[in-house]
Amino acid sequence: VSTQSTWEVRICNLHGTGPTVLTNSNFDDVVFGSGKAAFVKFYAPWCGHCKSMAPAWNELGTDFEASSSVVIGDADCIAETELCGKFNVNGYPTLKYFTPDSKEPKDYSGGRDLDSLKKFVVDNLEKKCDVNDVSTCSDKEAKYITKMQSKPAENIATELSRLEKMTGSKMTPTQKAYLLQRIHVLKQL
């Protein structure tokens, strides 16, 4: 069971890992101004369920830290009472998600384990690159598509196999995100 305090979450986040700490002062910019979907955990530091969920949520935040389409956020409702009141948070943890086209949150009611949370983000919030519509891709992905489209199918299959073997390797969140983006592209070619 994690006994991670808000202070520890903030310190952890300053080192570039885990969810983005959301406050009254940065919420609108991060959630509404980023152009990304947001998945937010509203919590209380003393809450046992919140402490139990913290390791999975922190890992989810790390996994999507370099995402160009999703932000994973933490809002401490004891420190940020006005923010939590604004979104009618009555119990802890409360999970809500925001899409880039709306300021109205939707309640998340799925599983609280890492696999369920990650599946929800991938299936519902993450915007993926479509090789048939490069406008949905980052510049880096578009360049990779151009490079790989000129390769024979056997080279693409070899590269896909090589990259898939790397998914369990230790790497920075940015490297992992780009690895997964390349795998996604190659599966479409």
Side-chain angles (χ1 to χ4, degrees):
V1 174
S2 172
T3 57
Q4 192 171 44
S5 69
T6 304
W7 177 250
E8 290 165 338
V9 169
R10 289 172 197 251
I11 294 298
C12 178
N13 184 262
L14 291 176
H15 296 301
T17 60
T20 300
V21 176
L22 299 171
T23 64
N24 286 320
S25 61
N26 75 357
F27 190 91
D28 286 351
D29 287 340
V30 173
V31 174
F32 301 133
S34 68
K36 298 180 179 184
F39 196 18
V40 180
K41 178 181 76 171
F42 295 91
Y43 74 98
W46 48 259
C47 165
H49 293 294
C50 301
K51 290 176 183 179
S52 296
M53 187 185 170
W57 191 257
N58 291 343
E59 189 170 336
L60 184 73
T62 299
D63 287 349
F64 288 93
E65 179 176 42
S67 174
S68 61
S69 61
V70 179
V71 63
I72 306 299
D74 256 341
D76 177 346
C77 289
I78 303 309
E80 306 296 337
T81 55
E82 181 182 330
L83 177 62
C84 296
K86 179 178 173 180
F87 295 108
N88 300 314
V89 175
N90 297 313
Y92 310 113
T94 294
L95 302 179
K96 294 184 182 277
Y97 61 98
F98 300 79
T99 57
D101 57 349
S102 174
K103 290 190 176 191
E104 291 300 316
K106 295 182 178 86
D107 293 328
Y108 170 81
S109 58
R112 304 292 173 103
D113 60 285
L114 180 60
D115 290 340
S116 297
L117 294 166
K118 191 179 283 190
K119 181 173 177 16
F120 176 77
V121 171
V122 168
D123 291 350
N124 298 285
L125 301 177
E126 187 176 39
K127 185 175 77 175
K128 300 248 183 173
C129 171
D130 179 352
V131 297
N132 296 315
D133 180 8
V134 289
S135 70
T136 64
C137 306
S138 69
D139 289 341
K140 201 172 190 179
E141 289 168 316
K143 287 177 186 171
Y144 187 69
I145 290 167
T146 302
K147 173 185 168 184
M148 296 309 293
Q149 282 177 327
S150 65
K151 306 277 184 192
E154 63 191 41
N155 289 31
I156 292 172
T158 301
E159 179 68 357
L160 179 58
S161 176
R162 183 184 77 81
L163 293 176
E164 286 178 330
K165 289 176 187 170
M166 293 172 60
T167 58
S169 301
K170 188 170 176 85
M171 60 188 78
T172 68
T174 302
Q175 290 169 327
K176 181 137 191 165
Y178 186 52
L179 172 72
L180 296 175
Q181 288 170 337
R182 288 181 290 166
I183 289 171
H184 179 73
V185 165
L186 292 175
K187 287 182 175 180
Q188 296 178 71
L189 295 177

